[in-house]
Amino acid sequence: MTNDTKPSVCVVGLGYIGLPTAAIVARAGCPVLGLDVSPDVVETINRGAIHIEEVDLDGLVSGVVQRGLLRASSQIEPCDVFVVAVPTPFARDGERTPDVAHVLAAGTEIAAVLKPGDLIILESTCPVGTTERLRDLLAGLRPDLKLPGLAADTPDIAIAYCPERVLPGRILEELTNNDRSIGGITPRCARKAMAFYKRFVRGECWVTDARSAEMTKLVENAYRDVNIAFANELSMIADKLGLDVWEVIRLANRHPRVDILQPGPGVGGHCIAVDPWFIVHGAPDEARLIRAAREVNDRKIRHVLASAVALLEAHPGERVACFGLAFKANIDDFRESPARFVAAGLARKFGARIKVVEPFASALPREFDGTGAELIDLDAALETCGIAIMLVDHDAFRAVPADERRGMLTYDTRGIWKPSPGPRPRPNLRLASRA
Ligand code: SAJ
């Protein structure tokens, strides 16, 4: 591969990060092979469609597939650059141990086609030391190749860790515009990785070593978790003291050096609620604040459920609308969602009294089966339910005028709906709630 020829690129794992990355690299003119274990995903992408929701991704993927720049397969092929974007979940040991088996499996596949001059980039969120583990695996599988950091002379292969830091709903924009940390096993590896990212990243690329880049990714999400935990702890203290936490935060944030985040029903998603544990696992005695923050944010979910249960038990006749299932506002991602956990917990306890409003869902998730709970639309909820449990600050919910919620007993975990005092409004409300 010379400097001006476009390298062929293999992206391993076509999920929320891998597919947008593959599409953006292809848009930059590099021929991309997308590798995925799911035949459905491969088939979907090869007909120019997508299997995930992300703003503008459908048009981009169909365009690069049509131009022959992106092709999906379950079979690896020789390429010049390999980008690994596979999941790193917890092991099933109940200890929240990071499980890097998918990363190592990707390494085993890549080893079979690796040739001198190739570049391997790990993007999956990983515990510190994983990039070196990947290198050691490759060294064992391909003793014919000189691997970086092991060979005294110039290695045949470059390996780097380059985490993503994109926000769902803005992935394409952030993949292009955010700064990147580029952690090489050696400085030469970092330079090679940087040259690759410069093909499609407009943000700045900051070069470091692989271990620092791995830790940087974990630290970014732990930082946010700790700050959200502060807000969530305040909200539980405020509940106990009978204070309005939103008012306290609003006023405290008028201080020039205070900027408290917003409490919610807990922290969801597959990054912020997971990644801090990778730090705790690596340094359990030292990572005390990070562990405490995780515990506070998890405790907040149970606090919300218990508070909602108490409200419903105190008002046994009322139908209840749970507003939102997504793990945060304006996305259709229901994985690891506190809102979903709370709504499902209420459905199991109160059955058909529970209605769920979620503009991003066409059906309730499986754990609602047999509970009697049902998915209804926003207007029906406002017309027929006497209790509102506000769980997700979707724009569609923010836009509901106070008048339309008038008389509903409101438990607002997001601080977007002030409780609306006043008499019960519509004459049919009580009839409807008893139907
Ligand atoms: N949340 C609050 N209060 C807040 C902010 C967020 O309760 O003030 C909750 C949200 O409702 C949600 C959770 O936190 O349940 C996480 O949402 P988020 O918007 O903070 O983050 P994610 O998980 O969508 O994306 C994060 C981002 N990391 C940081 O902001 C440091 C993103 O940049 C990363 O790329 C992503 O994790 C990832 O993939 O690691």
Side-chain angles (χ1 to χ4, degrees), residues 17 125 164-168 174 178 217 219-225 227-228 231-232 260-273 275 297 326-329 331 336-338 391-393 413-414:
I17 300 301
T125 303
E164 56 72 29
R165 43 166 63 137
V166 296
L167 214 53
E174 293 210 355
N178 287 357
K217 169 66 192 180
V219 163
E220 289 165 5
N221 282 349
Y223 169 84
R224 193 151 169 88
D225 197 43
N227 281 280
I228 299 170
N232 277 334
I260 303 170
L261 292 181
Q262 298 301 302
V267 168
H270 13 278
C271 307
I272 295 195
D275 302 354
N297 283 331
F327 88 82
K328 66 177 196 174
I331 61 170
E336 316 296 335
S337 167
L391 296 166
V392 185
D393 45 341
T413 70
R414 296 282 184 178

Side-chain angles (χ1 to χ4, degrees), residues 342-420:
V342 170
L346 294 176
R348 276 193 294 278
K349 194 163 172 63
F350 298 102
R353 272 181 78 190
I354 304 299
K355 313 295 164 196
V356 178
V357 186
E358 176 48 84
F360 290 89
S362 52
L364 286 179
R366 205 175 282 163
E367 67 267 28
F368 288 83
D369 287 357
T371 61
E374 59 176 327
L375 187 66
I376 63 174
D377 69 26
L378 180 57
D379 286 339
L382 294 170
E383 280 160 22
T384 66
C385 292
I387 297 180
I389 311 290
M390 160 47 63
L391 296 166
V392 185
D393 45 341
H394 288 318
D395 287 349
F397 299 157
R398 278 183 191 274
V400 175
D403 236 23
E404 298 201 14
R405 299 182 277 107
R406 205 166 172 72
M408 282 180 115
L409 277 168
T410 302
Y411 176 34
D412 181 1
T413 70
R414 296 282 184 178
I416 63 167
W417 285 354
K418 292 279 172 216
S420 69

